[in-house]
Amino acid sequence: MGNFSIKEIMGDKAPLVTVVDIGAMIEGKNRYDDLVERGMARVVGFEPEPREFEKLKAQGDKRHVYLPYFVGSGKPGTFHQCRYNGCSSLYRPDPHVIDLFTSIGASANGNFQVLSTEEVKTVRMDDIKEITACDYLKIDVQGAELDVLAGAIKTLEGTAVVQAEVEFVPLYGGQPLFAEIDIFMRNNGFILHKLVDVAGRAVRPFVLDQNPYKPISQLLWADAVFIKDFTRFNTLRPELLLKAAIILHEVYSSIDMAAFALKAYDAQAGTAYFAGYMAKVFAAGRFDHSFMNVKDWI
């Protein structure tokens, strides 16, 4: 939206963002890929499914470190290998719910069909020595997101932005839903910023526009983006504010919140990033600042 990189404002003083990706299997382009390509981030990824882990290692990108851990509660668990790897989970798919919807079946030949199970050991994020920093946390573990978060209390203290897949309907038996994750995040100093990649499916037997993947009314899942409580930005460490601004601008085009974080950073660091950022935003010609008091953006 801003049509420029925030690095134009910070130059070589832009801090390196550490991305921790829990459930890093390759499913198209990651939202953080551009951040990595611009040399603004490094990635520590976790993917326990052997075939997907090998695909990640085969990329040979030295900016990425991948580990085959089952990240979760730290307790033993059962891994359910599904017909489509992206549906595999530490929670068992629930066919009584899934099979109500077009195109995502859990019965024979459906993506959620369980082919095998395996008893596994999970590890808490707070106990993983390879995670030395976590500025931006992305979680996609098919229903086990709250288990990951609950094992990352200490890690979350230094995290600026979290993107977690959430479900609004229990596709997996006993899985925590969005409401529970939202409460947990608010209790740990975060606020819901936005929902992205919101998805649903039609209830059988309906198919809309000959597209079995197109929803009619029912939401099923989305990626929820949480940020540190912006009403308390003045209490956050300066570096955390700077990294929040980088992620919000580069990954989500959230220019208003990125600007707000830069303003809070300037108040602590004595810099003038906010004014430079605002000048870049208005130069793009997409926002009218004629109504603004100049004191609001200097």
Side-chain angles (χ1 to χ4, degrees), residues 68 211 215 226 231 267:
N211 182 354
F226 297 91
T231 68

Side-chain angles (χ1 to χ4, degrees), residues 91-254:
Y91 285 77
R92 188 173 187 85
D94 186 350
H96 299 294
V97 176
I98 295 170
D99 287 344
L100 293 173
F101 298 95
T102 303
S103 84
I104 61 168
S107 301
N109 298 320
N111 283 345
F112 287 82
Q113 180 189 3
V114 177
L115 301 181
S116 63
T117 60
E118 177 188 2
E119 299 306 307
V120 300
K121 178 182 179 181
T122 70
V123 60
R124 298 166 67 252
M125 274 191 67
D126 283 345
D127 297 330
I128 299 174
K129 64 179 184 301
E130 290 89 351
I131 299 178
T132 56
C134 177
D135 304 311
Y136 175 33
L137 174 60
K138 173 252 174 182
I139 314 173
D140 183 355
V141 287
Q142 301 303 114
E145 285 76 14
L146 187 55
D147 293 333
V148 173
L149 290 165
I153 299 294
K154 184 177 179 181
T155 302
L156 287 173
E157 292 176 0
T159 302
V161 179
V162 175
Q163 177 182 307
E165 185 177 79
V166 296
E167 271 81 45
F168 307 104
V169 172
L171 302 179
Y172 297 87
Q175 73 166 111
L177 298 177
F178 166 71
E180 295 164 86
I181 292 173
D182 184 50
I183 290 171
F184 174 89
M185 294 300 286
R186 284 190 279 119
N187 287 341
N188 284 276
F190 289 82
I191 285 180
L192 178 68
H193 178 56
K194 61 170 66 175
L195 296 174
V196 296
D197 297 334
V198 179
R201 293 291 187 271
V203 175
R204 295 178 189 272
F206 290 93
V207 176
L208 182 63
D209 298 332
Q210 298 182 326
N211 182 354
Y213 301 100
K214 191 171 184 178
I216 297 176
S217 60
Q218 182 58 53
L219 296 181
L220 295 179
W221 67 84
D223 285 324
V225 182
F226 297 91
I227 63 175
K228 289 291 192 185
D229 184 349
F230 55 82
T231 68
R232 302 182 68 249
F233 269 3
N234 63 315
T235 67
L236 300 182
R237 292 184 293 104
E239 186 177 12
L240 194 62
L241 289 165
L242 206 57
K243 290 180 176 180
I246 290 170
I247 299 163
L248 288 166
H249 176 92
E250 300 287 341
V251 180
Y252 298 105
S253 297
S254 297

Side-chain angles (χ1 to χ4, degrees), residues 262-273:
L262 288 176
K263 190 172 186 179
Y265 175 82
D266 286 345
Q268 295 190 45
T271 49
Y273 289 153

